Amino acid sequence: MLTRIIQSLMRRDHRIQTYLITMVVGLMLPSLVFIGYLFIKTLTAEQTEAMSDIEDRTAGLAQVVDRQLAGNKVLVEVLAQAPSLTRGELEGFYDFAKLAAETHGDTITLAERDGTFVLSTTKPYGTPLPRRTDMSIYGQFFDQGQTFVSKATRGLIIHSTLFLVAAPFKRDGMVKYSVAMGVRAERLQPLLRGIPAGMLAGIVDGAGTILARSIEPDRFVGQPVPAEVMAGLHGADNGRLIASSLEGRPCVLAGQRVTGAAWWGLGGHPHAGG
C-alpha cells in the first residue's frame, strides 16, 4: 500500500516537473528568438557597414590611380610634341626627356614599330639598346595611334616590374615612334598609405597582375591574383565577389575599374568571408 502511494506521488511530481519545464521553456523561447534576431541583425548591419566602407575606399583608390595616370599621359603627350623630336634632333630630345624622367618617372624611351629602342634616359645617349621582340604589350598602339597605359611587364632596360604610359609621335599620318614613360610598379605603393591596417587593398592590371598591395607587397607584386577574382569582375565597372586571397584566406572583395586604364582597384578584409 505504502509503495503504491509513493509511486503515485513520484509520477505526479514527474508530471509537475515536466509541466513546469515546458512552461519555462515556452516563456523563454520568444525571448531567446528575439535576442538571436537582434544579434544577427546587429552582425549583419556591422558587416554591411564594413563592406560599404571597403567599397568607398576602393572607389577612392581607383580615382587616385586614375588621376596619377592622367598626369603621366599628359606628360608623354607633351614629350611627343617636343620641337626637338619634330625636327629630328634626337640628342636634344634626349636631354629634354631625361629631365622629365628625373621628376616624373623612371625612364623615357623612344621606340620604333619593330621594337627597336632609339634611346632610353636610363642610358647615356647613343648607347646600343636591346630590341623588344614581343610587341604584345603595345596592343594596337602603332595602328590606332592613341595614348595608352599598358599592363604590367618586366622591363628590358629597367629589370623590374613596371608599366608603360605611351603616346604616339606621328610622321606623315603614321606612328613613327612610341614615346613611353616606364614606371616601376613600386611607385604606386604610396597610393595605399591611407588604407587601414588589416584591410587588403591592391591595384591590378587587366590581366590580373598585381602592381601594388597593402599587405606584403614585396612578396606579391608582379604575381597574378586568383583567376576567380578577374572572372568575377569581367565585363563590369565595379563589383563585389567572394574569393580567396593569395594567402589562401576567404575574402569578400570589392572591385572598381580605373577609368583611364584597363586596371582595377581592389579592397577587402582577409577574414571577411569566413
Side-chain angles (χ1 to χ4, degrees):
M1 181 69 175
L2 179 60
T3 301
R4 288 198 298 271
I5 292 173
I6 292 173
Q7 290 175 345
S8 175
L9 289 172
M10 289 177 65
R11 285 195 297 271
R12 186 173 62 181
D13 286 346
H14 179 71
R15 288 195 296 271
I16 292 173
Q17 289 176 357
T18 302
Y19 172 75
L20 290 174
I21 291 171
T22 302
M23 183 173 66
V24 170
V25 170
L27 291 172
M28 291 179 63
L29 187 59
S31 297
L32 293 173
V33 170
F34 182 66
I35 291 171
Y37 166 76
L38 289 179
F39 175 77
I40 294 173
K41 185 175 181 180
T42 300
L43 184 61
T44 302
E46 290 177 351
Q47 291 175 334
T48 300
E49 183 178 353
M51 197 63 215
S52 178
D53 179 64
I54 290 172
E55 289 174 333
D56 289 345
R57 290 182 182 276
T58 302
L61 173 61
Q63 291 174 3
V64 170
V65 173
D66 195 49
R67 285 197 295 269
Q68 177 155 322
L69 294 179
N72 292 340
K73 288 180 181 180
V74 169
L75 179 59
V76 294
E77 287 170 354
V78 169
L79 287 169
Q81 298 173 31
S84 56
L85 186 57
T86 302
R87 294 192 298 266
E89 299 171 358
L90 296 183
E91 189 168 2
F93 175 76
Y94 171 87
D95 293 336
F96 178 46
K98 188 172 180 62
L99 179 62
E102 289 172 352
T103 55
H104 294 88
D106 291 298
T107 183
I108 304 292
T109 59
L110 200 64
E112 296 179 334
R113 181 182 288 265
D114 66 356
T116 299
F117 285 103
V118 178
L119 60 82
S120 169
T121 57
T122 58
K123 303 290 185 179
Y125 180 76
T127 300
L129 300 171
R131 177 175 172 270
R132 183 182 292 279
T133 55
D134 180 8
M135 298 295 287
S136 62
I137 189 173
Y138 286 99
Q140 301 299 311
F141 170 78
F142 281 98
D143 294 324
Q144 296 177 351
Q146 297 179 348
T147 302
F148 86 111
V149 178
S150 79
K151 63 183 180 181
T153 187
R154 185 74 179 175
L156 293 179
I157 301 173
I158 297 178
H159 302 292
S160 63
T161 300
L162 54 78
F163 62 93
L164 302 180
V165 183
F169 172 78
K170 297 181 180 181
R171 179 82 71 183
D172 300 326
M174 300 289 291
V175 178
K176 181 176 176 61
Y177 296 130
S178 156
V179 182
M181 174 188 294
V183 184
R184 287 185 174 92
E186 63 195 56
R187 283 186 176 264
L188 296 173
Q189 199 62 36
L191 302 183
L192 303 179
R193 284 175 180 163
I195 300 299
M199 177 179 169
L200 178 61
I203 303 166
V204 302
D205 69 9
T209 302
I210 299 170
L211 291 160
R213 198 174 192 265
S214 60
I215 298 176
E216 295 189 274
D218 293 340
R219 178 183 175 191
F220 292 115
V221 166
Q223 294 191 28
V225 297
E228 60 192 298
V229 174
M230 299 311 295
L233 296 173
H234 181 71
D237 289 332
N238 56 70
R240 181 190 299 184
L241 66 149
I242 298 175
S244 295
S245 69
L246 289 174
E247 295 90 345
R249 290 174 288 183
C251 296
V252 177
L253 294 173
Q256 179 68 48
R257 185 182 292 276
V258 177
T259 57
W263 291 7
W264 287 88
L266 296 175
H269 276 294
H271 54 76

